[in-house]
Amino acid sequence: MDFYQPTSLDAALALLAADPEALPLAGGATLVAMMNADLVEPSALVSLRDVAELQTIEAAADGGFRIGAMISHAALADEARLGGGNEVVRQAAARIAHPQVRNIGTLGGAVAHGDPSSDLPAALVAADAAIEIAGPAARRVVAAENFFEDYLTTALKPGEMVSAITLPVQPEGAVGHYEKFARVHGGYATLSVAVVLAMAGGECSHVRVALGAAGATPVRVDAAEARLLGSVLDADAVRDAAAILAEASDPIDDVRGSAEYRLMLVPRLLGRALAAAEGGA
Amino acid sequence: MDISLRINGEECALSVPASRTLLEALRDDMALTGAKNACNQGVCGSCTVLVDGMPVNACLVLAVNVTGRDITTIEGLGEGGELSVVQQAFVDAGAIQCGFCMSGMIVSATAFLAHNPMPSRDEIRTALSGNLCRCSGYVRVFDAVALAAQRLSP
Amino acid sequence: MIIEEEFTVEAALGHVWNCIRDAAFVAPCVPGCQDVEDIGDGAYRAAVKVGIGPIKTVFKLDIQVSEEAPPGFARIETRGQEGTNASRLTAKSDLTLSAAGAGATKVHYRSDVQVVGRLAKFGLGIMKKKAKALGAEFAENFRAAAEAGSPAAISGG
């Protein structure tokens, strides 16, 4: 296996374009684990460690954020500027695995891996984030909602990589919350609910909800949010919205919980997530 | 590939295959066998070492990707043949059972106390959540970290 | 793990049976099937490429039709391996065809699949979803092919 350590994004992209079996190495928290398990055998790794343009968090003038792909989960979890609705992303990063893994793993790596049981995909969909993609031919941007396509499968084409994530300006007064249910502290979610919520005059004035570990991609349904909008988040509204989300879910059966159990968690975790967000809104 | 890095304060030049993890390089090339190989998946924490002062799972880090970095292993914590305060606290609190997870626990605790010198019990639990003890002897481990914090406080 | 599915083909039972028992007809309908060889006595060899994200491999399969009752039932035993024996797969499958009204046939299959080795580390949860998706893709390909043509037309072309 060859190993390259380019210092610019263009150089990294050229190396990836030259070898279709090469993979970009971000932190390695997932890729090295998969190599250790003999699940992937790349012909070469292109380390992004020294690509400076992937390592910054920029606050945009309008209040949004642009976060470089190589920002670690630990750095994201410590980013005090991520408040309001975008707090959901900070909270999700703080719930990934353990300190040792958060120091290694990166935002871009987790997004590119596209594991629906991991924490960031649902949070990014709830925050209406956009994924910046760099490729040999061009740069493009895909909404987080359209980026995740299937288990471990994303909109990334061969030779492309995630270069940054942008978080939008959230509605005035919005609060983000990430609710995760896992068997042990730091485990993969049995189910998770990411929510960005704003209230006005006691009624829900903005809401985006995405479920993690509920299917091949984060699960978000317009009708569920429509049911919550304008409501006072009463038990009926939450129950109906949860039923719509559960209907759209198709979770796996595994050691972290049966599909049936995961579906049973949907109304409970949605209720908790909304209550927590409302408490802060 | 030829790499150079600092291990426990000493400059080291190594020649390793690109696929070799930092854990393998430490154990097999440097004979620093304090960091243990158990899950090789970043779950158990028994391979925890510090890279530039931050705890990481050495099994998830490729040696070629830490060129120029500062690595601290359990072997580098004590000074002049003496145990570090954290190591001594683990001994005094009776935290050690079979001992396999101990280097990871102590390295994690050392990094944690450097950032949070007066932690609550809950903060200690969270900080060590990435270190599994299959003897399940966590209570004495938390006691040890609290004792170390107390001894380190001015 | 058990994989069980059924689908309906708008064609007569006898025609569907002829299609499904012709390896050259079935092979192009199987997602990722790169190669199939009929070695006689109901035995076949096939190579099937599968992948989930960055995990990609080719299963080399030995397939044996161990029991059949034309035109409605076949029992198939499959053994295979990938990555120089890094994972091994065994499957016992029952295929049942039945008439479903005029000119239509219901195809039902039930497979008990076991995987050991490196791919088993990956977790059966996602693997089962993947197998289901591949099964649905096969069903759609096979249905379209069987409604459009016959084995001779394919092998002749």
Side-chain angles (χ1 to χ4, degrees):
Chain A
M1 187 181 74
D2 292 324
F3 183 81
Y4 303 100
Q5 206 144 44
T7 53
S8 76
L9 185 53
D10 286 339
L13 291 168
L15 286 162
L16 290 170
D19 180 354
E21 298 299 316
L23 288 174
L25 172 67
T30 303
L31 181 50
V32 176
M34 286 169 79
M35 288 167 56
N36 288 347
D38 294 324
L39 286 170
V40 292
E41 293 163 42
S43 58
L45 290 177
V46 178
S47 169
L48 305 177
R49 189 191 94 166
D50 294 339
V51 180
E53 56 209 287
L54 302 177
Q55 326 264 352
T56 54
I57 302 183
E58 299 156 35
D62 65 4
F65 289 91
R66 182 174 181 279
I67 306 171
M70 284 295 285
I71 294 297
S72 70
H73 304 319
L76 195 56
D78 280 346
E79 180 50 69
R81 290 177 293 174
L82 289 181
N86 288 325
E87 165 86 13
V88 69
V89 175
R90 199 194 63 71
Q91 285 185 11
R95 298 297 304 274
I96 297 168
H98 313 292
Q100 293 97 316
V101 169
R102 288 198 292 274
N103 285 332
I104 299 171
T106 65
L107 173 62
V111 168
H113 185 52
D115 182 344
S117 296
S118 66
D119 298 291
L120 286 168
L124 293 172
V125 169
D128 201 12
I131 318 295
E132 283 187 21
I133 298 171
R139 308 291 159 93
R140 62 194 181 103
V141 177
V142 175
E145 192 164 2
N146 301 323
F147 179 82
F148 302 103
E149 296 184 343
D150 201 347
Y151 295 101
L152 313 190
T153 306
T154 67
L156 289 175
K157 297 197 181 80
E160 287 187 329
M161 65 168 133
V162 174
S163 53
I165 309 295
T166 55
L167 299 177
V169 186
Q170 299 291 350
E172 186 72 31
V175 171
H177 182 80
Y178 183 71
E179 187 73 29
K180 173 176 179 177
F181 186 88
R183 291 185 309 161
V184 293
H185 190 105
Y188 278 98
T190 302
L191 190 87
S192 66
V193 177
V195 57
V196 175
L197 174 80
M199 303 294 285
E203 290 180 357
C204 172
S205 60
H206 169 87
V207 66
R208 271 179 77 93
V209 180
L211 307 185
T217 64
V219 172
R220 179 184 166 261
V221 188
D222 284 336
E225 291 164 8
R227 180 66 184 85
L228 296 169
L229 264 179
S231 80
V232 296
L233 302 181
D234 52 287
D236 283 354
V238 175
R239 192 196 53 224
D240 292 352
I244 296 167
L245 287 163
E247 178 66 30
S249 299
D250 182 21
I252 57 172
D253 275 316
D254 73 2
V255 291
R256 297 182 188 94
S258 65
E260 188 187 6
Y261 180 66
R262 290 169 197 260
L263 291 175
M264 196 193 81
L265 288 174
V266 174
R268 283 144 174 96
L269 294 196
L270 178 64
R272 281 189 209 169
L274 288 169
E278 190 185 3
Chain B
M1 288 187 66
D2 295 332
I3 58 169
S4 63
L5 64 172
R6 268 180 308 287
I7 301 175
N8 298 330
E10 211 171 307
E11 291 294 337
C12 297
L14 291 179
S15 189
V16 294
S19 58
R20 180 156 302 178
T21 63
L22 175 59
L23 178 60
E24 291 164 339
L26 289 170
R27 292 180 56 85
D28 302 340
D29 297 322
M30 301 299 298
L32 293 170
T33 54
K36 298 290 185 269
N37 184 0
C39 74
N40 221 20
Q41 289 289 301
V43 174
C44 74
S46 62
C47 66
T48 304
V49 302
L50 306 182
V51 175
D52 293 343
M54 287 190 314
V56 303
N57 298 117
C59 73
L60 296 184
V61 173
L62 294 181
V64 290
N65 215 27
V66 285
T67 47
R69 300 285 203 243
D70 215 325
I71 314 297
T72 306
T73 69
I74 184 82
E75 289 90 345
L77 294 184
E79 270 181 54
E82 299 286 315
L83 296 179
S84 74
V85 173
V86 179
Q87 285 172 311
Q88 190 61 52
F90 272 68
V91 174
D92 295 345
I96 302 162
Q97 294 191 44
C98 88
F100 194 86
C101 68
M102 274 301 125
S103 353
M105 291 274 187
I106 291 168
V107 172
S108 278
T110 301
F112 169 61
L113 291 174
H115 287 101
N116 188 347
M118 289 170 61
S120 69
R121 191 85 175 176
D122 262 1
E123 287 170 334
I124 295 172
R125 291 168 66 96
T126 306
L128 293 183
S129 62
N131 292 87
L132 302 185
C133 168
R134 293 300 80 176
C135 306
S136 72
Y138 295 103
V139 172
R140 295 281 177 90
V141 168
F142 302 150
D143 291 346
V145 180
L147 179 61
Q150 195 191 327
R151 287 178 178 173
L152 285 166
S153 67
Chain C
M1 61 183 172
I2 305 283
I3 313 278
E4 188 166 13
E5 294 292 330
E6 68 178 35
F7 59 95
T8 303
V9 181
E10 295 296 325
L13 179 61
H15 170 75
V16 175
W17 177 260
N18 287 338
C19 290
I20 217 158
R21 284 295 286 111
D22 185 310
F25 185 89
V26 169
C29 303
V30 177
C33 184
Q34 295 176 318
D35 196 19
V36 67
E37 189 189 349
D38 186 340
I39 52 178
D41 289 333
Y44 305 87
R45 280 199 198 105
V48 179
K49 192 177 173 184
V50 292
I52 303 176
I55 304 164
K56 301 183 189 93
T57 192
V58 176
F59 266 101
K60 292 183 179 139
L61 303 174
D62 286 310
I63 301 155
Q64 176 72 52
V65 178
S66 57
E67 211 180 309
E68 68 178 321
F73 177 79
R75 176 161 289 168
I76 300 146
E77 299 197 9
T78 306
R79 290 177 171 279
Q81 50 114 347
E82 61 84 34
T84 331
N85 218 24
S87 314
R88 291 164 304 285
L89 171 153
T90 55
K92 285 184 183 172
S93 312
D94 282 354
L95 175 72
T96 312
L97 269 53
S98 55
T105 303
K106 193 168 78 184
V107 180
H108 176 271
Y109 64 87
R110 184 181 192 279
S111 293
D112 188 351
V113 185
Q114 308 293 339
V115 180
V116 296
R118 66 168 186 171
L119 291 183
K121 290 182 205 162
F122 182 65
L124 286 178
I126 292 182
M127 227 186 284
K128 190 169 178 181
K129 292 285 186 202
K130 182 73 186 174
K132 244 179 118 104
L134 292 175
E137 203 181 319
F138 164 76
E140 184 48 35
N141 292 343
F142 177 82
R143 188 195 57 72
E147 287 172 8
S150 62
I154 297 282
S155 50

